[in-house]
Amino acid sequence: MTQHLPISRVINLIPERSQRLWATDESEARRRLLASDMDAVLRLDGSFALIAQDGERVVLARSLDRPMRYFLAKSVDGPALIVAERIDEIAAELAQRGWADQFHPSYTRMVPAHHVTTLRLVGCPDPNPAHQRFFAPPRGTLPVDLDLIGRHYIEAVYGELRRWLSVQNRGAPIGVPFSGGIDSGAILLCLYKLLLNEGESAARLKAFTLSVDGQGEDGRQAHDFLSRTNLEMLGEIIDVSSGALDPLRAVAVIEDYKTLDVECAAVNLALLAGIRERYPDWRLLVDGDGGDENLKDYPIEENSELTIRSVVNNRMLYQEGWGVDSIKHSLTYSGGYSRGCVRSYACARECGFEGFSPYTRPSVIAVAEGIPFSELTEGSHQRLYALKGEIVSRGVRSVLGLEMPVFPKRRFQYGSVSAREVARVFPQDEARYRRHFATLHAGAV
């Protein structure tokens, strides 16, 4: 005779108001998850972290731009699944329910982006989750034509910005964290043209550039970019002291210890705090996060695990890491930008902003995955690094009719401070960040 197990409890700590679906309500989105209709899940527009339940079966999915965590707790009534955006929220819920002794931060799990994760809450032993991919763009399908590639890429970026703009309050101010680099530059130009084409005022747009102690190359680069595109009126410098950069606070905000993400989050928090101080009611930000991942613009030489062949031949390597079926995939953190999304999302949430990046949207990533990187680079690192500027500037020229300045790549955290201060402000000490992260939950482990 079949044993009937009790319906397991699901404790969802993700606020409904944080779901930003553009054209589908949550009930329909949950129906798609339960139906295992991967094409329908892919068509969910916007930013989401969703959960749906059918008896002991629980399904979860999120967009690439935000985290979604879960923890399976044990109670006398059976298993209880806690779902949240943050590790500390899970820890607090366990403590409130008298289950604190079950907690360890490494026991939390991240739902991998671009997958529907299915759990069956049947008690001990807990079965492993199943991951079913809902986004699998074909690779290398575009011709070896940089003009065509650039046009398709910027058309996709512009299209996503247009869809995002259509669901925002008309006239609401829009800020762009702006360095004058390729990604933020293309975002600013697309938004500028979009507002004009939609019959709205470009005065609602502002480019915010961080300068630490009045120094940093980004301030000069941003001014040069805006001057050469006749958009000086959009620029605004946010000047902060180096004392405002606190990598250890960044560790707590993003709940991670990877050096580059911690450093990026530290300067991002300083920038957002500066904007918030000047503009208490500002809400909307559009950033360029994810652009480097799409066009594979990271120095391969800095990572001993990578070769140019692994970078150009693995599907969405920089977006997803090595993948859920890989031994290198972190269950606690996921991989690639699927892990690193917290450097934007958690910082925006901490400072009361609603962020968006079109580079994280499937339609834009699909174009990037269609680029024939192997043929275009022929094994050359330098050709790979030069591609991003060529593709984006050609696309901006074709789609927007504008000439976009292209400057050498420089990471956000290093462009905002004086070159002589980089080593002092950012010691690149991952061991220190790991130790600090461990102290955040020391009383609970």
Side-chain angles (χ1 to χ4, degrees), residues 141-166:
T141 56
L142 292 172
V144 183
D145 181 339
L146 292 180
D147 287 320
L148 181 66
I149 292 169
R151 177 165 61 81
H152 283 316
Y153 189 68
I154 296 302
E155 282 177 343
V157 171
Y158 185 91
E160 290 297 338
L161 285 170
R162 185 178 185 183
R163 294 158 78 189
W164 171 84
L165 184 66
S166 70

mmCIF file of all heavy atoms in Angstrom, residues 141-166:
data_model
loop_
_atom_site.group_PDB
_atom_site.id
_atom_site.type_symbol
_atom_site.label_atom_id
_atom_site.label_comp_id
_atom_site.label_asym_id
_atom_site.label_seq_id
_atom_site.Cartn_x
_atom_site.Cartn_y
_atom_site.Cartn_z
ATOM 1 N N THR A 141 26.128 30.980 -34.842
ATOM 2 C CA THR A 141 25.239 30.939 -36.013
ATOM 3 C C THR A 141 25.332 32.171 -36.901
ATOM 4 O O THR A 141 24.849 32.153 -38.036
ATOM 5 C CB THR A 141 23.780 30.785 -35.563
ATOM 6 O OG1 THR A 141 23.455 31.849 -34.656
ATOM 7 C CG2 THR A 141 23.573 29.453 -34.857
ATOM 8 N N LEU A 142 25.938 33.257 -36.407
ATOM 9 C CA LEU A 142 26.027 34.479 -37.191
ATOM 10 C C LEU A 142 27.215 34.420 -38.153
ATOM 11 O O LEU A 142 28.221 33.749 -37.867
ATOM 12 C CB LEU A 142 26.178 35.691 -36.271
ATOM 13 C CG LEU A 142 24.956 36.029 -35.410
ATOM 14 C CD1 LEU A 142 25.303 37.114 -34.401
ATOM 15 C CD2 LEU A 142 23.791 36.458 -36.282
ATOM 16 N N PRO A 143 27.137 35.122 -39.269
ATOM 17 C CA PRO A 143 28.259 35.145 -40.202
ATOM 18 C C PRO A 143 29.433 35.945 -39.647
ATOM 19 O O PRO A 143 29.274 36.727 -38.695
ATOM 20 C CB PRO A 143 27.667 35.823 -41.450
ATOM 21 C CG PRO A 143 26.536 36.639 -40.946
ATOM 22 C CD PRO A 143 25.975 35.890 -39.764
ATOM 23 N N VAL A 144 30.590 35.773 -40.252
ATOM 24 C CA VAL A 144 31.788 36.499 -39.823
ATOM 25 C C VAL A 144 31.732 37.904 -40.430
ATOM 26 O O VAL A 144 32.439 38.224 -41.392
ATOM 27 C CB VAL A 144 33.069 35.751 -40.236
ATOM 28 C CG1 VAL A 144 34.311 36.472 -39.713
ATOM 29 C CG2 VAL A 144 33.038 34.326 -39.727
ATOM 30 N N ASP A 145 30.866 38.714 -39.870
ATOM 31 C CA ASP A 145 30.609 40.058 -40.385
ATOM 32 C C ASP A 145 30.355 40.965 -39.183
ATOM 33 O O ASP A 145 29.258 40.960 -38.603
ATOM 34 C CB ASP A 145 29.395 40.040 -41.321
ATOM 35 C CG ASP A 145 29.071 41.391 -41.920
ATOM 36 O OD1 ASP A 145 29.487 42.413 -41.355
ATOM 37 O OD2 ASP A 145 28.382 41.430 -42.963
ATOM 38 N N LEU A 146 31.358 41.751 -38.799
ATOM 39 C CA LEU A 146 31.252 42.551 -37.584
ATOM 40 C C LEU A 146 30.165 43.613 -37.670
ATOM 41 O O LEU A 146 29.538 43.947 -36.659
ATOM 42 C CB LEU A 146 32.598 43.203 -37.273
ATOM 43 C CG LEU A 146 33.723 42.241 -36.867
ATOM 44 C CD1 LEU A 146 35.002 43.010 -36.585
ATOM 45 C CD2 LEU A 146 33.324 41.423 -35.646
ATOM 46 N N ASP A 147 29.918 44.150 -38.852
ATOM 47 C CA ASP A 147 28.848 45.132 -39.004
ATOM 48 C C ASP A 147 27.490 44.497 -38.721
ATOM 49 O O ASP A 147 26.651 45.070 -38.011
ATOM 50 C CB ASP A 147 28.860 45.733 -40.406
ATOM 51 C CG ASP A 147 30.019 46.692 -40.618
ATOM 52 O OD1 ASP A 147 30.326 47.464 -39.697
ATOM 53 O OD2 ASP A 147 30.629 46.654 -41.700
ATOM 54 N N LEU A 148 27.271 43.314 -39.273
ATOM 55 C CA LEU A 148 25.999 42.615 -39.048
ATOM 56 C C LEU A 148 25.856 42.197 -37.584
ATOM 57 O O LEU A 148 24.795 42.358 -36.971
ATOM 58 C CB LEU A 148 25.900 41.398 -39.966
ATOM 59 C CG LEU A 148 24.618 40.569 -39.857
ATOM 60 C CD1 LEU A 148 23.430 41.395 -40.331
ATOM 61 C CD2 LEU A 148 24.738 39.284 -40.653
ATOM 62 N N ILE A 149 26.927 41.658 -37.027
ATOM 63 C CA ILE A 149 26.896 41.240 -35.624
ATOM 64 C C ILE A 149 26.588 42.438 -34.724
ATOM 65 O O ILE A 149 25.737 42.377 -33.829
ATOM 66 C CB ILE A 149 28.229 40.581 -35.224
ATOM 67 C CG1 ILE A 149 28.408 39.247 -35.948
ATOM 68 C CG2 ILE A 149 28.301 40.382 -33.711
ATOM 69 C CD1 ILE A 149 29.804 38.656 -35.809
ATOM 70 N N GLY A 150 27.280 43.552 -34.961
ATOM 71 C CA GLY A 150 27.067 44.738 -34.150
ATOM 72 C C GLY A 150 25.644 45.256 -34.252
ATOM 73 O O GLY A 150 25.041 45.639 -33.240
ATOM 74 N N ARG A 151 25.090 45.234 -35.457
ATOM 75 C CA ARG A 151 23.717 45.708 -35.625
ATOM 76 C C ARG A 151 22.751 44.831 -34.854
ATOM 77 O O ARG A 151 21.864 45.330 -34.151
ATOM 78 C CB ARG A 151 23.347 45.745 -37.109
ATOM 79 C CG ARG A 151 21.888 46.152 -37.357
ATOM 80 C CD ARG A 151 21.671 46.537 -38.812
ATOM 81 N NE ARG A 151 21.961 45.440 -39.711
ATOM 82 C CZ ARG A 151 21.133 44.424 -39.987
ATOM 83 N NH1 ARG A 151 19.951 44.367 -39.383
ATOM 84 N NH2 ARG A 151 21.469 43.478 -40.838
ATOM 85 N N HIS A 152 22.884 43.514 -34.973
ATOM 86 C CA HIS A 152 21.984 42.609 -34.252
ATOM 87 C C HIS A 152 22.115 42.796 -32.734
ATOM 88 O O HIS A 152 21.112 42.776 -32.004
ATOM 89 C CB HIS A 152 22.280 41.159 -34.621
ATOM 90 C CG HIS A 152 21.747 40.741 -35.949
ATOM 91 N ND1 HIS A 152 20.490 41.069 -36.389
ATOM 92 C CD2 HIS A 152 22.304 40.001 -36.943
ATOM 93 C CE1 HIS A 152 20.285 40.551 -37.593
ATOM 94 N NE2 HIS A 152 21.379 39.907 -37.955
ATOM 95 N N TYR A 153 23.344 42.974 -32.277
ATOM 96 C CA TYR A 153 23.573 43.081 -30.828
ATOM 97 C C TYR A 153 22.932 44.350 -30.270
ATOM 98 O O TYR A 153 22.187 44.299 -29.268
ATOM 99 C CB TYR A 153 25.074 43.069 -30.552
ATOM 100 C CG TYR A 153 25.434 42.944 -29.078
ATOM 101 C CD1 TYR A 153 25.178 41.775 -28.373
ATOM 102 C CD2 TYR A 153 26.056 43.996 -28.403
ATOM 103 C CE1 TYR A 153 25.519 41.656 -27.028
ATOM 104 C CE2 TYR A 153 26.405 43.881 -27.066
ATOM 105 C CZ TYR A 153 26.129 42.715 -26.382
ATOM 106 O OH TYR A 153 26.468 42.603 -25.053
ATOM 107 N N ILE A 154 23.182 45.486 -30.891
ATOM 108 C CA ILE A 154 22.624 46.744 -30.376
ATOM 109 C C ILE A 154 21.119 46.807 -30.621
ATOM 110 O O ILE A 154 20.382 47.390 -29.808
ATOM 111 C CB ILE A 154 23.358 47.950 -30.981
ATOM 112 C CG1 ILE A 154 24.825 47.936 -30.544
ATOM 113 C CG2 ILE A 154 22.703 49.260 -30.551
ATOM 114 C CD1 ILE A 154 25.034 47.960 -29.023
ATOM 115 N N GLU A 155 20.618 46.207 -31.687
ATOM 116 C CA GLU A 155 19.167 46.123 -31.859
ATOM 117 C C GLU A 155 18.527 45.384 -30.694
ATOM 118 O O GLU A 155 17.461 45.784 -30.200
ATOM 119 C CB GLU A 155 18.825 45.418 -33.173
ATOM 120 C CG GLU A 155 18.959 46.281 -34.411
ATOM 121 C CD GLU A 155 18.679 45.521 -35.699
ATOM 122 O OE1 GLU A 155 18.694 44.266 -35.667
ATOM 123 O OE2 GLU A 155 18.460 46.174 -36.733
ATOM 124 N N ALA A 156 19.174 44.309 -30.246
ATOM 125 C CA ALA A 156 18.634 43.549 -29.118
ATOM 126 C C ALA A 156 18.698 44.375 -27.833
ATOM 127 O O ALA A 156 17.746 44.394 -27.043
ATOM 128 C CB ALA A 156 19.401 42.238 -28.953
ATOM 129 N N VAL A 157 19.808 45.082 -27.599
ATOM 130 C CA VAL A 157 19.937 45.933 -26.413
ATOM 131 C C VAL A 157 18.869 47.019 -26.426
ATOM 132 O O VAL A 157 18.169 47.254 -25.425
ATOM 133 C CB VAL A 157 21.347 46.559 -26.354
ATOM 134 C CG1 VAL A 157 21.425 47.627 -25.255
ATOM 135 C CG2 VAL A 157 22.399 45.485 -26.109
ATOM 136 N N TYR A 158 18.722 47.686 -27.558
ATOM 137 C CA TYR A 158 17.739 48.766 -27.688
ATOM 138 C C TYR A 158 16.326 48.226 -27.485
ATOM 139 O O TYR A 158 15.493 48.863 -26.810
ATOM 140 C CB TYR A 158 17.877 49.404 -29.070
ATOM 141 C CG TYR A 158 17.001 50.621 -29.308
ATOM 142 C CD1 TYR A 158 17.467 51.898 -29.022
ATOM 143 C CD2 TYR A 158 15.712 50.489 -29.826
ATOM 144 C CE1 TYR A 158 16.672 53.013 -29.243
ATOM 145 C CE2 TYR A 158 14.911 51.596 -30.046
ATOM 146 C CZ TYR A 158 15.400 52.857 -29.752
ATOM 147 O OH TYR A 158 14.609 53.953 -29.965
ATOM 148 N N GLY A 159 16.058 47.060 -28.049
ATOM 149 C CA GLY A 159 14.730 46.466 -27.904
ATOM 150 C C GLY A 159 14.387 46.149 -26.462
ATOM 151 O O GLY A 159 13.248 46.377 -26.016
ATOM 152 N N GLU A 160 15.357 45.635 -25.709
ATOM 153 C CA GLU A 160 15.101 45.334 -24.303
ATOM 154 C C GLU A 160 14.919 46.614 -23.484
ATOM 155 O O GLU A 160 14.080 46.666 -22.581
ATOM 156 C CB GLU A 160 16.238 44.489 -23.726
ATOM 157 C CG GLU A 160 16.293 43.072 -24.266
ATOM 158 C CD GLU A 160 15.062 42.256 -23.916
ATOM 159 O OE1 GLU A 160 14.357 42.600 -22.939
ATOM 160 O OE2 GLU A 160 14.795 41.264 -24.623
ATOM 161 N N LEU A 161 15.684 47.626 -23.798
ATOM 162 C CA LEU A 161 15.506 48.902 -23.108
ATOM 163 C C LEU A 161 14.128 49.492 -23.405
ATOM 164 O O LEU A 161 13.479 50.060 -22.518
ATOM 165 C CB LEU A 161 16.597 49.886 -23.529
ATOM 166 C CG LEU A 161 17.989 49.627 -22.940
ATOM 167 C CD1 LEU A 161 19.029 50.502 -23.620
ATOM 168 C CD2 LEU A 161 18.002 49.868 -21.433
ATOM 169 N N ARG A 162 13.679 49.342 -24.635
ATOM 170 C CA ARG A 162 12.363 49.872 -24.991
ATOM 171 C C ARG A 162 11.260 49.136 -24.229
ATOM 172 O O ARG A 162 10.310 49.759 -23.734
ATOM 173 C CB ARG A 162 12.146 49.751 -26.495
ATOM 174 C CG ARG A 162 10.849 50.396 -26.979
ATOM 175 C CD ARG A 162 10.707 50.295 -28.473
ATOM 176 N NE ARG A 162 9.523 51.018 -28.930
ATOM 177 C CZ ARG A 162 9.114 51.046 -30.185
ATOM 178 N NH1 ARG A 162 9.802 50.404 -31.127
ATOM 179 N NH2 ARG A 162 8.026 51.720 -30.505
ATOM 180 N N ARG A 163 11.381 47.833 -24.107
ATOM 181 C CA ARG A 163 10.368 47.065 -23.381
ATOM 182 C C ARG A 163 10.397 47.414 -21.902
ATOM 183 O O ARG A 163 9.353 47.528 -21.256
ATOM 184 C CB ARG A 163 10.601 45.571 -23.604
ATOM 185 C CG ARG A 163 10.371 45.158 -25.051
ATOM 186 C CD ARG A 163 11.070 43.878 -25.383
ATOM 187 N NE ARG A 163 10.384 42.697 -24.884
ATOM 188 C CZ ARG A 163 10.903 41.485 -24.920
ATOM 189 N NH1 ARG A 163 12.133 41.307 -25.380
ATOM 190 N NH2 ARG A 163 10.212 40.458 -24.488
ATOM 191 N N TRP A 164 11.597 47.579 -21.360
ATOM 192 C CA TRP A 164 11.715 47.982 -19.952
ATOM 193 C C TRP A 164 11.097 49.357 -19.734
ATOM 194 O O TRP A 164 10.341 49.564 -18.776
ATOM 195 C CB TRP A 164 13.195 47.986 -19.555
ATOM 196 C CG TRP A 164 13.464 48.573 -18.206
ATOM 197 C CD1 TRP A 164 13.379 47.951 -17.000
ATOM 198 C CD2 TRP A 164 13.858 49.924 -17.929
ATOM 199 N NE1 TRP A 164 13.704 48.823 -15.984
ATOM 200 C CE2 TRP A 164 14.000 50.043 -16.528
ATOM 201 C CE3 TRP A 164 14.116 51.038 -18.726
ATOM 202 C CZ2 TRP A 164 14.375 51.233 -15.919
ATOM 203 C CZ3 TRP A 164 14.492 52.228 -18.118
ATOM 204 C CH2 TRP A 164 14.614 52.315 -16.732
ATOM 205 N N LEU A 165 11.405 50.306 -20.619
ATOM 206 C CA LEU A 165 10.901 51.671 -20.466
ATOM 207 C C LEU A 165 9.375 51.707 -20.510
ATOM 208 O O LEU A 165 8.748 52.517 -19.804
ATOM 209 C CB LEU A 165 11.486 52.567 -21.557
ATOM 210 C CG LEU A 165 11.131 54.051 -21.484
ATOM 211 C CD1 LEU A 165 11.742 54.687 -20.244
ATOM 212 C CD2 LEU A 165 11.595 54.763 -22.758
ATOM 213 N N SER A 166 8.784 50.826 -21.302
ATOM 214 C CA SER A 166 7.329 50.852 -21.484
ATOM 215 C C SER A 166 6.566 50.521 -20.208
ATOM 216 O O SER A 166 5.377 50.838 -20.100
ATOM 217 C CB SER A 166 6.915 49.882 -22.598
ATOM 218 O OG SER A 166 7.082 48.531 -22.190
#
